[in-house]
Amino acid sequence: MAVRDAQRSRVYDAEGLVRGMFDRADEFGARTVEVHGSHLTLPIERRFASVESVQAYVDRVLALNWVRARWDGAARPVTVRARAGAQAAHYETAGSVLAVPLHAHGTAWALRELVILHELAHHLEPERSGVAPHGPEFCGRYLELTDGVIGPEAALLLRTTMYSCGVRIA
């Protein structure tokens, strides 16, 4: 029996807001944002140009000592492939495949670090049934990856935005 993914839209809403803040920081060069009364200096979010560059990034993240020590799934390699359409990136459990849309309509919205870390958080899900794909456990993994790879400021921004959108985090 499939578990209802009750937080999916709230997680996507929070991510959209955070990606927008990073986009505005890149566009206007203002890296400091105010979040719930705190001033954060946003780190640089890596962007990618190709499937090959995403693959190299994924391989490097999964090879990090702390990632391997934290999640058994880091030992399973991920294959990155181009995805038709521009709607969404996704992770395919069968075969450990990360499918990412490339440039479409003048944008490459999915060729960015936050999106790739989201999909890696799916890959690192322990092998067990009964857990919602975007449930509290997933969100905790995603935040740990964001904190350790992009930086604590990005993780704080993502965490507070998730809470504001009603996301539960383990």
Side-chain angles (χ1 to χ4, degrees), residues 38-55:
S38 295
H39 292 274
L40 298 176
T41 300
L42 295 180
I44 301 297
E45 180 193 12
R46 292 169 185 91
R47 305 292 178 117
F48 307 101
S50 65
V51 167
E52 294 77 20
S53 61
V54 174
Q55 182 70 63

Side-chain angles (χ1 to χ4, degrees), residues 130-143:
V131 177
H134 294 93
E137 300 84 1
F138 164 83
C139 293
R141 272 192 313 283
Y142 182 27
L143 286 165

Side-chain angles (χ1 to χ4, degrees), residues 69-85:
R70 177 72 177 91
W71 296 288
D72 293 337
R76 286 190 324 271
V78 170
T79 301
V80 178
R81 71 167 177 83
R83 181 183 192 277

Side-chain angles (χ1 to χ4, degrees), residues 83-89 101-105 107 109-110:
R83 181 183 192 277
Q87 290 299 322
L102 301 179
H103 300 271
H105 310 295
T107 72
W109 73 268

